[in-house]
Structures are given as C-alpha cells and as structure tokens.
Amino acid sequence: MELPFERQAMKDEPVPKGLSGADTKAYISLVQIYKMYGLKMIGKTQAKQMKESVVDAWITEKSKEDFLNERVKNLAGRIQDATEKYLENKTIENADELVRAFYNGDYKK
C-alpha cells in the first residue's frame, strides 16, 4: 500500500503542511526508511517490513483520528443546536438540554 504522501517522503521533501499527527509520524518514518535503504544501511526485505509496520500503525492511528474528529464534529453540532434553542427560548428545560449537550448527555449532579 502506498500512502498519499509517500512519494514526497521518498524524495526527502519537507513534511507537507496540513498533515494530521498520524500522517506526520508515518511521513517521518518513511523518510528515515528510504534514507537508510538509499544508504544501504538496510536491505530491501527489511525496508519492506519496516514500511509495512509503519503502514499498519498509520491505519490504526488514522482510524482513531477519524473517529475522534467525527465525535468532536457531532458534539459541536449538538452544542450549537442546543445553544440556538436556548437563545430563542430561555427556559430551564432548554438550559438543561444545553448542559447535557456540553457533557455529551452524561451530566450528573
């Protein structure tokens, strides 16, 4: 599997702007693998194994990032909706709903 930024890493280009944490770690790892391979510090088999480990870790971390980003997006949407509802109609029920939105429905006195 080739990662979206792998060709840049292969050429030892600077880390592209806008990469996520998982992308940045994978990018730096790939740069090092390609450097070591180019300097004949490691062979093709070892380089391939190292790259597979980097890709596996990237897939796991990217999945976690995507999940958390989606959770944040959903939480922000619920808070915005509850805020708008409260500002339009300042009732104790709407205030309670806003508090629940902030605590993701988990608020306990």
Side-chain angles (χ1 to χ4, degrees):
M1 169 182 199
E2 184 173 309
L3 300 180
F5 41 77
E6 189 165 343
R7 299 279 172 171
Q8 292 165 283
M10 209 180 286
K11 298 174 191 170
D12 195 17
E13 294 178 6
V15 178
K17 293 186 190 279
L19 293 184
S20 70
D23 292 343
T24 301
K25 285 193 271 186
Y27 188 89
I28 292 168
S29 296
L30 289 173
V31 166
Q32 294 306 310
I33 292 168
Y34 283 112
K35 277 185 180 181
M36 289 188 298
Y37 179 72
L39 293 170
K40 304 207 183 310
M41 295 171 66
I42 58 174
K44 189 173 186 174
T45 302
Q46 187 176 4
K48 184 178 178 182
Q49 290 171 341
M50 292 171 77
K51 181 190 165 191
E52 286 173 2
S53 293
V54 168
V55 170
D56 288 345
W58 176 81
I59 289 169
T60 300
E61 288 197 36
K62 195 70 170 166
S63 176
K64 289 177 186 177
E65 281 181 351
D66 291 346
F67 173 77
L68 290 175
N69 287 337
E70 191 61 32
R71 295 274 315 245
V72 167
K73 187 172 134 184
N74 290 337
L75 179 60
R78 286 195 305 274
I79 291 170
Q80 181 177 350
D81 292 346
T83 299
E84 289 171 3
K85 189 173 178 182
Y86 174 76
L87 292 174
E88 289 173 10
N89 185 14
K90 294 181 180 178
T91 65
I92 192 70
E93 292 80 18
N94 287 342
D96 287 346
E97 189 61 35
L98 180 57
V99 169
R100 280 192 293 279
F102 271 104
Y103 286 92
N104 203 21
D106 249 356
Y107 181 75
K108 294 180 176 71
K109 277 188 173 183

